[in-house]
Amino acid sequence: RRVHGGDCRGKLVTVVEILDQNRVLVDSPQAGVQRGIMNMRDLHMTQLFVPRLPHGSRTKTVRKKWEAAKIDEQWAATKWAAKLKRKELRKNLTDYERFQVMIAKKERNRILNVNYGKVKKTIKRKVRKPNKKVHRV
């Protein structure tokens, strides 16, 4: 799971125990999140999980299983992580770098639109319109 609220925002945690409908016991020794209780509303579900993790596992056990499952590498390979990384990079751009990004996007879109127009023209030429003759009696 990924935390989206509180002090641990943006870090990956493992659910060690489900306490009730709204609260879970989480631990994440790799991300620096101390073992503790979190509200389910503060967590986002991910497809990643630590296989065969016993209920109520100690931090040492969670760390071993986390490393064996290579959760950090799996997370880095997801589109979600790439999107967050891109967002962070964009957030730290200077004014001039934002300007360069804008110019690059304009150039890219111009190339795409020109090529799209060419393809559209060739398709339009190939398709013949049927004759619409009106038959009068």
Side-chain angles (χ1 to χ4, degrees):
R1 293 181 182 254
R2 185 175 166 274
V3 182
H4 75 86
D7 299 335
C8 306
R9 180 183 208 108
K11 297 184 179 181
L12 293 177
V13 295
T14 302
V15 174
V16 179
E17 189 76 51
I18 298 173
L19 302 175
D20 60 30
Q21 287 180 325
N22 299 316
R23 299 177 310 139
V24 291
L25 179 65
V26 297
D27 196 1
S28 180
Q30 300 299 90
V33 178
Q34 289 184 351
R35 183 184 188 94
I37 298 170
M38 283 197 170
N39 198 316
M40 289 291 286
R41 283 179 258 152
D42 291 338
L43 301 173
H44 281 301
M45 293 288 289
T46 64
Q47 296 294 321
L48 309 177
F49 66 97
V50 179
R52 298 190 186 109
L53 184 67
H55 292 284
S57 297
R58 296 180 356 196
T59 303
K60 186 176 179 182
T61 309
V62 173
R63 180 183 295 118
K64 284 181 183 177
K65 297 276 188 177
W66 183 287
E67 290 170 355
K70 300 179 181 176
I71 299 295
D72 292 324
E73 293 171 20
Q74 289 179 26
W75 171 251
T78 62
K79 288 183 181 181
W80 193 355
K83 180 181 173 184
L84 291 174
K85 188 176 180 181
R86 254 192 335 268
K87 192 174 181 181
E88 188 65 29
L89 283 172
R90 285 277 175 94
K91 189 172 115 179
N92 295 327
L93 290 179
T94 64
D95 185 40
Y96 182 65
E97 290 170 335
R98 280 194 300 275
F99 173 73
Q100 287 177 321
V101 168
M102 181 194 72
I103 296 299
K105 284 170 86 173
K106 284 172 78 171
E107 289 175 6
R108 182 197 63 199
N109 289 335
R110 177 160 168 52
I111 291 169
L112 288 173
N113 286 331
V114 166
N115 289 331
Y116 174 72
K118 288 178 184 176
V119 170
K120 192 174 176 181
K121 271 186 181 178
T122 58
I123 291 173
K124 203 171 188 179
R125 286 185 204 147
K126 290 179 182 178
V127 176
R128 291 185 70 191
K129 294 181 181 177
N131 287 335
K132 293 185 179 179
K133 291 186 178 179
V134 178
H135 298 287
R136 296 183 186 213
V137 182

Short mmCIF file of all heavy atoms in Angstrom, two decimals, residues 61-94:
data_model
loop_
_atom_site.label_atom_id
_atom_site.label_comp_id
_atom_site.label_asym_id
_atom_site.label_seq_id
_atom_site.Cartn_x
_atom_site.Cartn_y
_atom_site.Cartn_z
N THR A 61 11.07 -9.60 10.53
CA THR A 61 10.47 -10.53 9.57
C THR A 61 9.96 -9.78 8.35
O THR A 61 10.16 -10.21 7.22
CB THR A 61 9.31 -11.31 10.23
OG1 THR A 61 9.76 -11.87 11.45
CG2 THR A 61 8.78 -12.38 9.31
N VAL A 62 9.32 -8.64 8.59
CA VAL A 62 8.80 -7.83 7.47
C VAL A 62 9.95 -7.39 6.58
O VAL A 62 9.86 -7.45 5.35
CB VAL A 62 8.01 -6.60 8.01
CG1 VAL A 62 7.63 -5.67 6.87
CG2 VAL A 62 6.78 -7.06 8.76
N ARG A 63 11.07 -6.96 7.19
CA ARG A 63 12.24 -6.50 6.41
C ARG A 63 12.78 -7.63 5.54
O ARG A 63 13.06 -7.44 4.36
CB ARG A 63 13.33 -5.99 7.34
CG ARG A 63 14.57 -5.50 6.57
CD ARG A 63 15.71 -5.06 7.46
NE ARG A 63 15.34 -3.89 8.23
CZ ARG A 63 15.29 -3.84 9.56
NH1 ARG A 63 15.59 -4.92 10.26
NH2 ARG A 63 14.94 -2.75 10.18
N LYS A 64 12.91 -8.83 6.10
CA LYS A 64 13.44 -9.97 5.34
C LYS A 64 12.52 -10.33 4.17
O LYS A 64 12.98 -10.52 3.04
CB LYS A 64 13.59 -11.19 6.25
CG LYS A 64 14.78 -11.13 7.17
CD LYS A 64 14.86 -12.39 8.01
CE LYS A 64 16.00 -12.33 9.00
NZ LYS A 64 16.03 -13.52 9.85
N LYS A 65 11.23 -10.40 4.44
CA LYS A 65 10.27 -10.75 3.39
C LYS A 65 10.20 -9.65 2.32
O LYS A 65 10.08 -9.93 1.13
CB LYS A 65 8.87 -10.96 3.98
CG LYS A 65 8.79 -12.11 4.96
CD LYS A 65 8.60 -13.40 4.25
CE LYS A 65 8.33 -14.51 5.26
NZ LYS A 65 8.07 -15.77 4.63
N TRP A 66 10.29 -8.38 2.74
CA TRP A 66 10.26 -7.23 1.83
C TRP A 66 11.44 -7.31 0.86
O TRP A 66 11.29 -7.14 -0.35
CB TRP A 66 10.32 -5.95 2.65
CG TRP A 66 10.22 -4.66 1.91
CD1 TRP A 66 11.17 -4.10 1.11
CD2 TRP A 66 9.12 -3.76 1.89
NE1 TRP A 66 10.74 -2.91 0.62
CE2 TRP A 66 9.48 -2.67 1.08
CE3 TRP A 66 7.87 -3.75 2.50
CZ2 TRP A 66 8.64 -1.59 0.85
CZ3 TRP A 66 7.04 -2.68 2.27
CH2 TRP A 66 7.41 -1.62 1.46
N GLU A 67 12.63 -7.58 1.41
CA GLU A 67 13.83 -7.67 0.58
C GLU A 67 13.78 -8.88 -0.34
O GLU A 67 14.20 -8.82 -1.49
CB GLU A 67 15.08 -7.71 1.45
CG GLU A 67 15.36 -6.39 2.14
CD GLU A 67 16.44 -6.48 3.19
OE1 GLU A 67 16.94 -7.60 3.48
OE2 GLU A 67 16.81 -5.43 3.75
N ALA A 68 13.25 -9.99 0.16
CA ALA A 68 13.15 -11.20 -0.67
C ALA A 68 12.18 -11.00 -1.83
O ALA A 68 12.41 -11.50 -2.94
CB ALA A 68 12.70 -12.38 0.19
N ALA A 69 11.10 -10.25 -1.60
CA ALA A 69 10.10 -10.00 -2.65
C ALA A 69 10.52 -8.87 -3.58
O ALA A 69 9.87 -8.64 -4.60
CB ALA A 69 8.76 -9.69 -2.01
N LYS A 70 11.58 -8.14 -3.22
CA LYS A 70 12.10 -7.02 -4.03
C LYS A 70 10.99 -5.99 -4.31
O LYS A 70 10.77 -5.59 -5.44
CB LYS A 70 12.72 -7.52 -5.32
CG LYS A 70 13.88 -8.46 -5.11
CD LYS A 70 14.45 -8.95 -6.41
CE LYS A 70 15.59 -9.91 -6.13
NZ LYS A 70 16.13 -10.50 -7.32
N ILE A 71 10.32 -5.60 -3.25
CA ILE A 71 9.20 -4.66 -3.37
C ILE A 71 9.65 -3.31 -3.93
O ILE A 71 8.97 -2.73 -4.79
CB ILE A 71 8.49 -4.48 -2.01
CG1 ILE A 71 7.92 -5.81 -1.52
CG2 ILE A 71 7.41 -3.42 -2.09
CD1 ILE A 71 6.82 -6.38 -2.37
N ASP A 72 10.81 -2.82 -3.48
CA ASP A 72 11.29 -1.52 -3.95
C ASP A 72 11.54 -1.53 -5.46
O ASP A 72 11.21 -0.58 -6.16
CB ASP A 72 12.56 -1.11 -3.21
CG ASP A 72 12.28 -0.80 -1.74
OD1 ASP A 72 11.20 -0.26 -1.45
OD2 ASP A 72 13.14 -1.11 -0.90
N GLU A 73 12.12 -2.62 -5.98
CA GLU A 73 12.37 -2.74 -7.42
C GLU A 73 11.06 -2.86 -8.19
O GLU A 73 10.91 -2.26 -9.26
CB GLU A 73 13.25 -3.95 -7.70
CG GLU A 73 14.66 -3.82 -7.16
CD GLU A 73 15.45 -5.11 -7.26
OE1 GLU A 73 15.07 -5.99 -8.06
OE2 GLU A 73 16.45 -5.23 -6.53
N GLN A 74 10.12 -3.62 -7.65
CA GLN A 74 8.82 -3.76 -8.30
C GLN A 74 8.10 -2.41 -8.36
O GLN A 74 7.49 -2.06 -9.37
CB GLN A 74 7.93 -4.76 -7.56
CG GLN A 74 8.37 -6.19 -7.70
CD GLN A 74 7.45 -7.12 -6.91
OE1 GLN A 74 6.28 -6.81 -6.68
NE2 GLN A 74 7.97 -8.25 -6.49
N TRP A 75 8.18 -1.65 -7.27
CA TRP A 75 7.53 -0.34 -7.23
C TRP A 75 8.17 0.60 -8.25
O TRP A 75 7.48 1.32 -8.96
CB TRP A 75 7.62 0.25 -5.83
CG TRP A 75 7.17 1.67 -5.76
CD1 TRP A 75 7.94 2.77 -5.56
CD2 TRP A 75 5.83 2.17 -5.92
NE1 TRP A 75 7.18 3.90 -5.59
CE2 TRP A 75 5.87 3.57 -5.81
CE3 TRP A 75 4.60 1.56 -6.16
CZ2 TRP A 75 4.75 4.36 -5.92
CZ3 TRP A 75 3.48 2.36 -6.27
CH2 TRP A 75 3.55 3.74 -6.15
N ALA A 76 9.49 0.59 -8.33
CA ALA A 76 10.19 1.48 -9.27
C ALA A 76 9.82 1.17 -10.72
O ALA A 76 9.88 2.04 -11.58
CB ALA A 76 11.70 1.36 -9.08
N ALA A 77 9.40 -0.06 -10.99
CA ALA A 77 9.06 -0.47 -12.35
C ALA A 77 7.61 -0.13 -12.73
O ALA A 77 7.24 -0.28 -13.89
CB ALA A 77 9.29 -1.97 -12.51
N THR A 78 6.80 0.33 -11.78
CA THR A 78 5.39 0.60 -12.08
C THR A 78 5.23 1.96 -12.75
O THR A 78 6.05 2.87 -12.59
CB THR A 78 4.53 0.59 -10.80
OG1 THR A 78 4.98 1.63 -9.92
CG2 THR A 78 4.58 -0.75 -10.10
N LYS A 79 4.14 2.11 -13.50
CA LYS A 79 3.82 3.39 -14.14
C LYS A 79 3.49 4.45 -13.09
O LYS A 79 3.76 5.64 -13.27
CB LYS A 79 2.63 3.23 -15.08
CG LYS A 79 2.97 2.45 -16.32
CD LYS A 79 1.78 2.39 -17.25
CE LYS A 79 2.11 1.60 -18.49
NZ LYS A 79 0.97 1.55 -19.42
N TRP A 80 2.90 4.03 -12.01
CA TRP A 80 2.53 4.93 -10.92
C TRP A 80 3.78 5.62 -10.36
O TRP A 80 3.80 6.84 -10.18
CB TRP A 80 1.82 4.14 -9.84
CG TRP A 80 1.10 4.92 -8.79
CD1 TRP A 80 1.09 6.28 -8.63
CD2 TRP A 80 0.29 4.40 -7.76
NE1 TRP A 80 0.32 6.62 -7.54
CE2 TRP A 80 -0.19 5.48 -6.99
CE3 TRP A 80 -0.09 3.12 -7.39
CZ2 TRP A 80 -1.01 5.31 -5.89
CZ3 TRP A 80 -0.91 2.96 -6.30
CH2 TRP A 80 -1.37 4.05 -5.55
N ALA A 81 4.83 4.83 -10.10
CA ALA A 81 6.08 5.39 -9.56
C ALA A 81 6.72 6.33 -10.57
O ALA A 81 7.24 7.39 -10.20
CB ALA A 81 7.04 4.26 -9.20
N ALA A 82 6.68 5.96 -11.86
CA ALA A 82 7.26 6.81 -12.90
C ALA A 82 6.51 8.14 -12.97
O ALA A 82 7.12 9.21 -13.13
CB ALA A 82 7.22 6.10 -14.25
N LYS A 83 5.18 8.08 -12.84
CA LYS A 83 4.37 9.29 -12.89
C LYS A 83 4.71 10.21 -11.71
O LYS A 83 4.84 11.43 -11.88
CB LYS A 83 2.89 8.90 -12.84
CG LYS A 83 1.94 10.05 -12.88
CD LYS A 83 0.51 9.55 -12.81
CE LYS A 83 -0.46 10.69 -12.68
NZ LYS A 83 -1.84 10.22 -12.52
N LEU A 84 4.87 9.63 -10.52
CA LEU A 84 5.22 10.43 -9.35
C LEU A 84 6.61 11.05 -9.49
O LEU A 84 6.84 12.20 -9.08
CB LEU A 84 5.15 9.57 -8.09
CG LEU A 84 3.76 9.13 -7.67
CD1 LEU A 84 3.84 8.16 -6.50
CD2 LEU A 84 2.89 10.31 -7.33
N LYS A 85 7.52 10.29 -10.08
CA LYS A 85 8.88 10.80 -10.30
C LYS A 85 8.85 11.97 -11.28
O LYS A 85 9.50 13.00 -11.06
CB LYS A 85 9.77 9.68 -10.83
CG LYS A 85 11.23 10.03 -10.91
CD LYS A 85 12.04 8.84 -11.34
CE LYS A 85 13.51 9.20 -11.43
NZ LYS A 85 14.31 8.05 -11.88
N ARG A 86 8.07 11.83 -12.37
CA ARG A 86 7.93 12.91 -13.35
C ARG A 86 7.33 14.15 -12.71
O ARG A 86 7.77 15.28 -12.95
CB ARG A 86 7.02 12.45 -14.49
CG ARG A 86 7.71 12.15 -15.77
CD ARG A 86 6.76 11.97 -16.94
NE ARG A 86 5.41 11.57 -16.68
CZ ARG A 86 4.97 10.32 -16.66
NH1 ARG A 86 5.80 9.32 -16.88
NH2 ARG A 86 3.70 10.05 -16.42
N LYS A 87 6.33 13.93 -11.89
CA LYS A 87 5.65 15.03 -11.20
C LYS A 87 6.64 15.78 -10.31
O LYS A 87 6.63 17.02 -10.26
CB LYS A 87 4.48 14.48 -10.39
CG LYS A 87 3.54 15.51 -9.86
CD LYS A 87 2.35 14.83 -9.20
CE LYS A 87 1.37 15.83 -8.66
NZ LYS A 87 0.24 15.18 -8.00
N GLU A 88 7.46 15.04 -9.60
CA GLU A 88 8.46 15.65 -8.71
C GLU A 88 9.50 16.44 -9.52
O GLU A 88 9.90 17.53 -9.12
CB GLU A 88 9.15 14.56 -7.88
CG GLU A 88 10.06 15.09 -6.81
CD GLU A 88 9.33 15.87 -5.73
OE1 GLU A 88 8.16 15.60 -5.46
OE2 GLU A 88 9.97 16.77 -5.14
N LEU A 89 9.93 15.87 -10.65
CA LEU A 89 10.88 16.58 -11.51
C LEU A 89 10.29 17.89 -12.03
O LEU A 89 10.95 18.93 -12.02
CB LEU A 89 11.30 15.70 -12.70
CG LEU A 89 12.30 14.60 -12.42
CD1 LEU A 89 12.47 13.70 -13.63
CD2 LEU A 89 13.63 15.18 -12.00
N ARG A 90 9.03 17.83 -12.49
CA ARG A 90 8.37 19.03 -13.00
C ARG A 90 8.22 20.09 -11.91
O ARG A 90 8.33 21.28 -12.16
CB ARG A 90 6.98 18.68 -13.54
CG ARG A 90 6.98 17.98 -14.85
CD ARG A 90 7.10 18.98 -15.98
NE ARG A 90 7.23 18.33 -17.27
CZ ARG A 90 6.21 18.07 -18.07
NH1 ARG A 90 4.99 18.37 -17.70
NH2 ARG A 90 6.43 17.51 -19.23
N LYS A 91 7.97 19.63 -10.69
CA LYS A 91 7.78 20.55 -9.57
C LYS A 91 9.05 21.34 -9.27
O LYS A 91 8.98 22.50 -8.87
CB LYS A 91 7.35 19.75 -8.33
CG LYS A 91 6.92 20.58 -7.16
CD LYS A 91 6.36 19.69 -6.09
CE LYS A 91 7.23 19.76 -4.87
NZ LYS A 91 6.74 18.94 -3.78
N ASN A 92 10.20 20.74 -9.51
CA ASN A 92 11.47 21.37 -9.19
C ASN A 92 12.11 22.11 -10.37
O ASN A 92 13.25 22.54 -10.27
CB ASN A 92 12.45 20.32 -8.66
CG ASN A 92 11.99 19.74 -7.35
OD1 ASN A 92 11.38 20.43 -6.55
ND2 ASN A 92 12.25 18.47 -7.13
N LEU A 93 11.39 22.27 -11.49
CA LEU A 93 11.95 22.98 -12.64
C LEU A 93 12.02 24.48 -12.38
O LEU A 93 11.19 25.04 -11.67
CB LEU A 93 11.09 22.74 -13.89
CG LEU A 93 11.11 21.35 -14.49
CD1 LEU A 93 10.20 21.31 -15.70
CD2 LEU A 93 12.50 20.92 -14.89
N THR A 94 13.01 25.11 -13.02
CA THR A 94 13.09 26.56 -12.96
C THR A 94 12.16 27.14 -14.02
O THR A 94 11.62 26.40 -14.85
CB THR A 94 14.53 27.04 -13.23
OG1 THR A 94 14.88 26.67 -14.55
CG2 THR A 94 15.50 26.46 -12.22
#
